[in-house]
Amino acid sequence: MATDASPKFQKSDLISVPQPPDYHPEITVSPAHDGLHFWQFMIAGSIAGMVEHMAMFPVDTIKTQMQAMVSCPVKSASVTQAVKSILKSEGPLGFYRGIGAMGLGAGPAHAVYFSVYEFCKKSFSRGHSNNHVAHAVSGVFATIASDAVFTPMDVVKQRLQLSSSPYTGVWDCVRRMLREEGIRAFYASYRTTVLMNAPFTAVHFATYEAAKRGLMQVSPESVSDERLVVHATAGAVAGALAAAVTTPLDVVKTQLQCQGVCGCDRYVNGSIRDVTRTIVKRDGYVGLMRGWKPRMLFHAPAAAICWSTYEAGKSFFQELNNNDNVT
């Protein structure tokens, strides 16, 4: 049987069906998941992360200021007040204070984030693309790895974003933190960040994959034409939902990262329970939802931008790899 099978598959009548001009019937071995190398996932993810955070940075600054307004009643800590405070103290450039720290952290962190996610998704899915649990678990592993890279620069970024920040820039903040508080200050919020981003990422990735498949099923005949629209829409839905669910932990994280700066409270042990109790005692449970509007306004378009850029980067590398295989 084996000797008869090979000639049959070489007959020209088996490939006589008309194909698109760029179709190549040769079978090639993909170098990695989705036909991409590990380093290509890293580059695509790094670019996506930097574009996402740079584009939405002003909204992130507003959110940080709202969550750090400990001296203001919750009802008055509005988006409008935060915007007025920034414009009054520093003008329009105040919205971009700390963007250098974001640039230094977002690229490497997202490179780790997406490459770990793709690696884990391939390993856990075992060929089943509809495995929501695998997508969620892969997202959790990705965020644990990326947060270890991003948290130090995120601390610096948020301290620079505060109204009347005592730091003149990224390196001034880094030097003074090391001298006055030690290396531990850069990771004071790491546990909270992981506990926040683990459910955030699980909800985000699971929702994104589900929404993407649902949108493609609605209009399967035009999936290729709507590729970026599908990724952007699915990413926006996933980002908004995940942001709303995890806002309380984001408030705790901001308080830990900005403690002792510009009037923010300083916490003795830095535990999530200690910070949560302080916020609830001071502002009530509604205090845990400070900044939820700008947080959702940030993550919905940010996720849309990030996923669209990431998928576009993957498509570029896939085309590049296909051309290399042909030649």
Side-chain angles (χ1 to χ4, degrees):
M1 292 296 292
T3 55
D4 294 333
S6 179
K8 290 180 181 179
F9 285 101
Q10 295 176 356
K11 290 183 179 181
S12 59
D13 59 330
L14 292 179
I15 56 172
S16 61
V17 180
Q19 300 291 348
D22 59 345
Y23 175 78
H24 303 285
E26 295 87 356
I27 298 175
T28 58
V29 178
S30 298
H33 177 60
D34 280 349
L36 300 184
H37 296 283
F38 192 74
W39 66 268
Q40 291 174 325
F41 284 122
M42 295 188 74
I43 292 177
S46 178
I47 294 172
M50 293 186 69
V51 171
E52 166 200 358
H53 285 285
M54 297 298 183
M56 300 304 300
F57 194 81
V59 181
D60 184 63
T61 299
I62 294 170
K63 182 218 70 169
T64 298
Q65 293 231 2
M66 287 180 67
Q67 292 179 341
M69 287 179 176
V70 294
S71 60
C72 301
V74 174
K75 291 183 179 180
S76 66
S78 63
V79 175
T80 303
Q81 182 181 350
V83 171
K84 288 181 178 178
S85 175
I86 295 169
L87 289 174
K88 183 179 179 180
S89 61
E90 299 183 71
L93 290 178
F95 291 104
Y96 292 93
R97 186 174 168 84
I99 197 169
M102 174 61 75
L104 290 171
H110 278 72
V112 172
Y113 186 86
F114 281 106
S115 56
V116 171
Y117 172 70
E118 295 287 358
F119 177 80
C120 291
K121 186 171 75 169
K122 178 186 177 183
S123 301
F124 298 153
S125 295
R126 299 183 182 275
H128 302 290
S129 60
N130 296 332
N131 192 333
H132 300 298
V133 175
H135 296 154
V137 173
S138 299
V140 172
F141 275 92
T143 197
I144 291 173
S146 65
D147 283 344
V149 177
F150 186 62
T151 295
M153 281 295 104
D154 191 43
V155 173
V156 174
K157 173 200 68 105
Q158 287 205 311
R159 291 194 176 201
L160 289 170
Q161 286 176 318
L162 294 176
S163 179
S164 303
S165 174
Y167 308 107
T168 59
V170 174
W171 300 118
D172 177 57
C173 182
V174 171
R175 284 194 297 268
R176 288 177 58 178
M177 285 182 65
L178 283 172
R179 184 174 65 249
E180 298 169 9
E181 303 174 60
I183 191 71
R184 291 172 62 89
F186 291 96
Y187 285 94
S189 66
Y190 181 65
R191 286 178 300 174
T192 307
T193 301
V194 170
L195 287 174
M196 176 188 71
N197 283 341
F200 177 94
T201 310
V203 173
H204 188 137
F205 276 113
T207 303
Y208 171 75
E209 297 286 354
K212 184 174 68 173
R213 283 193 301 274
L215 290 168
M216 287 181 173
Q217 290 173 1
V218 170
S219 183
E221 70 281 355
S222 57
V223 166
S224 59
D225 296 331
E226 298 179 1
R227 185 173 181 84
L228 289 180
V229 175
V230 168
H231 292 307
T233 305
V237 172
L241 179 60
V245 170
T246 57
T247 294
L249 284 170
D250 188 53
V251 175
V252 173
K253 184 201 77 167
T254 299
Q255 292 288 313
L256 283 170
Q257 293 189 164
C258 299
Q259 59 180 315
V261 182
C262 296
C264 293
D265 294 332
R266 182 171 290 281
Y267 302 95
V268 178
N269 56 22
S271 68
I272 297 174
R273 180 179 297 180
D274 180 34
V275 179
T276 302
R277 284 177 176 173
T278 302
I279 295 172
V280 172
K281 183 179 180 180
R282 184 183 62 230
D283 300 323
Y285 287 101
V286 71
L288 293 171
M289 293 303 293
R290 277 182 186 261
W292 70 270
K293 289 181 181 179
R295 179 167 164 77
M296 289 187 68
L297 287 173
F298 173 90
H299 281 286
I305 293 169
C306 185
W307 279 110
S308 299
T309 307
Y310 178 61
E311 294 292 349
K314 285 174 60 177
S315 297
F316 169 78
F317 284 123
Q318 286 170 343
E319 185 68 25
L320 187 67
N321 291 346
N322 288 339
N323 290 338
D324 290 342
N325 290 334
V326 172
T327 56

